[in-house]
Amino acid sequence: NVWFDKRARFRRWSALLREALATCPHVMCLQEVTAELAELIAASAWLSQRFQSSNVQGSYDVMMLVRKELAVRWWVVPIPSHMGRRCLVADMSVAAEPPGHLDERLHFAGIVRVANVHLESTKPNSQMRARQLDVIFPAIDPNSVHDAGDVRFVVLCGDFNFCSSWDENEQVLQSGFEDVWARLREHEPGFTEDTKRNAMLWDAKGEEDKQVRFDRVLLRRSETLPIGKGTGAADSIELLGTEPFADNLWASDHFGLLARVVA
């Protein structure tokens, strides 16, 4: 979540993009992207040469950048919302392994699906978030959608606006999607909004404490895939943007997530 606040926004967005791009991502998922930030991204010759990007709608939106070597099909899951939220999906073609490179049963060409969402904000909107996930999970799940085709696995990520410790997280636990942070780093809190580590957030919150894991990376593999390499296994996950890039300035009020999934 890039934080649409005007506080040093150009410096923050620049720092955020530099840190994210330094990880050499195949896909970047952003939330709270304003038209202003989208225009800056589109105006960058360096980014345009390397990434294809989705369109932004409304005053702010979710946005994805996908490496140009990946053939991508964009589509949207419409969700109920009073805030203009939507779930943006990218289906990316993955080439089969060269013959003889691996066991024959693993020579599989298919689709990797990444979905990016910003669920309804504020704690009282728990019922709306539940309705949104009720729509999203079956719409993108390769094991429940009739036209899923050759989808290898699905990554659902974004700002969920509820913490993994809250009661409403039960919907995630029952979804069949795996929470990558909980799977790989279950003994670490993984707070993505943390006033004890982010003084800029502390100031923005009026010096009130906040420690929550709102931002998630969820994973769901196709049950038709063979067991082994290339089956959508989560390899690692870590926080980004945890350090200030200038005096009392962090890239965002949220920390980002860097996840590596074997494709």
Side-chain angles (χ1 to χ4, degrees):
N1 187 316
V2 303
W3 197 28
F4 53 34
D5 192 84
K6 293 185 180 298
R7 180 180 316 210
R9 63 191 186 281
F10 297 114
R11 295 173 66 193
R12 290 192 298 99
W13 293 341
S14 177
L16 184 150
L17 290 171
R18 282 199 308 270
E19 182 168 359
L21 291 168
T23 68
C24 300
H26 287 86
V27 182
M28 289 176 57
C29 296
L30 308 173
Q31 302 88 44
E32 287 194 19
V33 176
T34 62
E36 193 173 39
L37 175 55
E39 289 171 3
L40 290 174
I41 290 173
S44 168
W46 190 94
L47 284 173
S48 297
Q49 289 169 3
R50 293 163 175 82
F51 290 90
Q52 47 203 317
S53 59
S54 62
N55 295 323
V56 169
Q57 300 179 0
S59 58
Y60 65 90
D61 197 6
V62 290
M63 183 181 193
M64 297 173 67
L65 281 73
V66 176
R67 291 254 287 266
K68 280 205 166 178
E69 60 263 33
L70 298 173
V72 62
R73 179 177 73 90
W74 307 102
W75 55 285
V76 171
V77 179
I79 56 176
S81 176
H82 298 308
M83 300 179 177
R85 306 292 167 84
R86 63 179 184 150
C87 179
L88 176 65
V89 186
D91 282 354
M92 293 159 285
S93 299
V94 177
E97 295 285 357
H101 180 67
L102 293 172
D103 188 287
E104 191 66 29
R105 67 190 177 94
L106 297 181
H107 297 170
F108 179 82
I111 302 296
V112 170
R113 175 172 292 163
V114 178
N116 179 18
V117 72
H118 186 188
L119 297 181
E120 212 80 352
S121 302
T122 74
K123 196 166 187 176
N125 279 319
S126 59
Q127 290 187 349
M128 179 62 78
R129 288 191 291 272
R131 290 175 58 198
Q132 291 171 338
L133 288 177
D134 277 342
V135 173
I136 293 169
F137 282 138
I140 64 174
D141 189 340
N143 301 310
S144 66
V145 181
H146 70 277
D147 63 347
D150 291 328
V151 177
R152 289 184 173 197
F153 62 87
V154 176
V155 174
L156 172 61
C157 62
D159 180 356
F160 281 28
N161 269 310
F162 63 88
C163 187
S164 56
S165 64
W166 295 5
D167 289 345
E168 64 183 287
N169 193 62
E170 184 66 21
Q171 187 175 11
V172 173
L173 298 178
Q174 299 300 322
S175 68
F177 282 71
E178 179 181 68
D179 187 322
V180 176
W181 188 276
R183 170 68 179 83
L184 297 180
R185 309 183 74 152
E186 61 177 327
H187 299 299
E188 300 176 52
F191 297 134
T192 57
E193 286 190 82
D194 189 348
T195 54
K196 294 188 182 302
R197 300 180 69 182
N198 187 335
M200 183 181 72
L201 176 62
W202 167 262
D203 181 65
K205 291 294 179 185
E207 299 185 351
E208 292 183 1
D209 289 336
K210 185 175 185 179
Q211 289 183 301
V212 291
R213 188 162 73 86
F214 276 9
D215 304 87
R216 314 289 191 88
V217 176
L218 306 185
L219 183 62
R220 176 79 159 153
R221 68 182 300 277
S222 170
E223 293 172 353
T224 65
L225 286 177
I227 302 300
K229 184 178 179 181
T231 58
D235 183 61
S236 65
I237 188 167
E238 62 188 88
L239 295 173
L240 293 179
T242 59
E243 300 296 329
F245 65 89
D247 186 34
N248 207 41
L249 282 178
W250 277 251
S252 176
D253 59 339
H254 289 240
F255 298 147
L257 290 168
L258 169 64
R260 294 182 175 87
V261 181
V262 178

